[in-house]
Amino acid sequence: MQDSSLGWGGTAGGTAGALTCSLTPAITANTAGRRFSLKTAFVRAGEATTLAVNGLSAVTVTNPVWSAGDIVEFVYDGTNYFAVAPTVADVTVIPA
């Protein structure tokens, strides 16, 4: 996986406040610019949340707002993971 490519982390494991996921191929370090999506298994409404990828140290997630079952994109900024994708609840479909 290239640092700025979009990867897939599957369905998050762990607990609501301490998510885990595994990317394939596995990463060995968090690198600024890394992006990936995963399916959330827990509701988050801004509560403190961390994410550990491939067994690396847990990293704080900023903007942790999603519903269980949402696909959320994460970007590592060198310090934190930022949840950047809108949740399903935030998407409005407007007919053409």
Side-chain angles (χ1 to χ4, degrees):
M1 171 180 290
Q2 300 299 314
D3 292 340
S4 61
S5 66
L6 183 60
W8 174 245
T11 300
T15 66
L19 302 176
T20 62
C21 76
S22 295
L23 300 176
T24 303
I27 63 171
T28 58
N30 289 311
T31 304
R34 182 172 320 278
R35 297 174 18 178
F36 61 92
S37 296
L38 59 81
K39 185 174 182 179
T40 60
F42 307 99
V43 173
R44 299 310 289 161
E47 300 91 354
T49 305
T50 62
L51 173 60
V53 180
N54 290 101
L56 298 173
S57 296
V59 173
T60 297
V61 175
T62 58
N63 194 34
V65 178
W66 56 74
S67 296
D70 286 350
I71 304 296
V72 179
E73 182 180 345
F74 293 86
V75 176
Y76 185 65
D77 67 5
T79 303
N80 299 307
Y81 279 112
F82 186 77
V84 295
T87 65
V88 173
D90 292 335
V91 176
T92 302
V93 178
I94 300 172

